Amino acid sequence: MTAGHIQEFACFTDYDKELVCHWKVPAQSNCSKEFLLCYSKETSSVLNMCVPENEKDSLRCACTIYPDYFVSGLTYILALQFNGTDTWNYNVTPALVVKPRAPKNLAIKRAENGNFNLSWEESYSPPSLLSGQPVIYEVKYWRKQHPTEISVKAINYQTKSFEITAHSLRRGYDYIASLRCNYTDYPAYWSEWSEEVEFHYDYQVKAEDILQMAVPTSCILIMAGSVICYFCFTK
């Protein structure tokens, strides 16, 4: 295998604990036996080694590096070996390939106005460099029975909740919601979609629904009563 055969080599980091590099390999490849990823900081001569593993689909090798720290100017020099021979060289600056962790602890509650309030927490806390940084979100939700009909809403402001309006839903259906995030100072990647939360939009009758039904009914009864009275008096 030569450098030209290393396909789709890419690295990304959660900018907190790990830097992951992966690349495409032919089926039946044994990543831990065939490859070795050597790396060092640009400012250091210390050489470290990472033994890759096969990803679940077996069509990629992945190496996970656990840096001692993250800073904006940190750059790693990588050398990928195949059967003991250098086949690929690559420089990666973690700050430029941030793929944040997805938001966590999703919850959804029915609000008094009939809408649904979706809330969540960030996956970063001090002293993480991403904790408290500007972040935007995308929320998606869909009917459980119709997973291809997805509504996606952008949230371009700082918040940890979002109101899904009842008029955007159809009564009597189960819905599923999820969201992802992107840190605007580190915009290379969006996070994966978060764990899903499920909710049901039921046939709850609201006061305005009662009024909408009551007014026409009252009008019909009044008209009917007037007609009956008219015939009674004419006789």
Side-chain angles (χ1 to χ4, degrees):
M1 180 176 286
T2 64
H5 290 91
I6 302 296
Q7 298 180 350
E8 300 178 20
F9 188 98
C11 299
F12 56 89
T13 175
D14 62 2
Y15 215 48
D16 185 42
K17 294 181 179 179
E18 60 186 32
L19 171 67
V20 178
C21 296
H22 61 188
W23 56 96
K24 190 175 180 180
V25 293
Q28 312 304 321
S29 294
N30 188 324
C31 296
S32 60
K33 289 186 177 181
E34 298 173 9
F35 292 94
L36 183 66
L37 184 64
C38 302
Y39 64 95
S40 62
K41 296 172 187 172
E42 194 175 44
T43 56
S44 172
S45 59
V46 178
L47 189 65
N48 302 280
M49 297 181 184
C50 178
V51 178
E53 297 180 350
N54 288 78
E55 290 191 344
K56 291 180 180 179
D57 60 8
S58 296
L59 297 178
R60 288 183 183 274
C61 295
C63 240
T64 303
I65 298 169
Y66 298 97
D68 298 327
Y69 57 88
F70 287 94
V71 292
S72 59
L74 177 66
T75 296
Y76 281 94
I77 300 171
L78 310 177
L80 181 62
Q81 295 183 0
F82 175 69
N83 289 333
T85 302
D86 284 356
T87 59
W88 184 259
N89 293 288
Y90 191 77
N91 286 8
V92 59
T93 302
L96 301 180
V97 291
V98 174
K99 183 178 182 179
R101 295 196 293 265
K104 62 181 183 178
N105 296 336
L106 265 70
I108 194 160
K109 291 183 178 180
R110 188 77 178 265
E112 290 184 3
N113 60 7
N115 295 335
F116 290 86
N117 189 57
L118 179 69
S119 61
W120 61 87
E121 296 177 8
E122 283 188 62
S123 287
Y124 296 91
S125 57
S128 169
L129 292 175
L130 291 185
S131 177
Q133 293 294 312
V135 57
I136 58 176
Y137 299 94
E138 281 188 347
V139 173
K140 67 176 181 178
Y141 56 94
W142 63 95
R143 282 184 289 165
K144 188 176 182 180
Q145 298 85 348
H146 298 81
T148 58
E149 300 175 7
I150 300 174
S151 296
V152 179
K153 306 293 183 182
I155 307 175
N156 297 317
Y157 52 88
Q158 303 302 294
T159 185
K160 291 181 182 177
S161 65
F162 177 76
E163 192 168 80
I164 299 175
T165 56
H167 69 74
S168 69
L169 307 173
R170 295 179 63 177
R171 290 185 179 178
Y173 285 93
D174 294 317
Y175 280 84
I176 296 174
S178 180
L179 81 156
R180 63 179 183 171
C181 66
N182 178 270
Y183 286 80
T184 55
D185 289 342
Y186 305 91
Y189 294 101
W190 283 82
S191 73
E192 295 291 340
W193 289 99
S194 69
E195 291 186 0
E196 298 169 352
V197 64
E198 189 171 331
F199 62 101
H200 181 75
Y201 185 30
D202 57 23
Y203 287 93
Q204 180 181 355
V205 179
K206 297 180 291 185
E208 55 263 38
D209 296 331
I210 295 174
L211 285 174
Q212 288 175 1
M213 292 184 291
V215 171
T217 303
S218 299
C219 291
I220 292 171
L221 291 173
I222 291 170
M223 290 176 64
S226 300
V227 171
I228 292 170
C229 290
Y230 173 78
F231 280 111
C232 289
F233 281 118
T234 53
K235 289 184 180 180

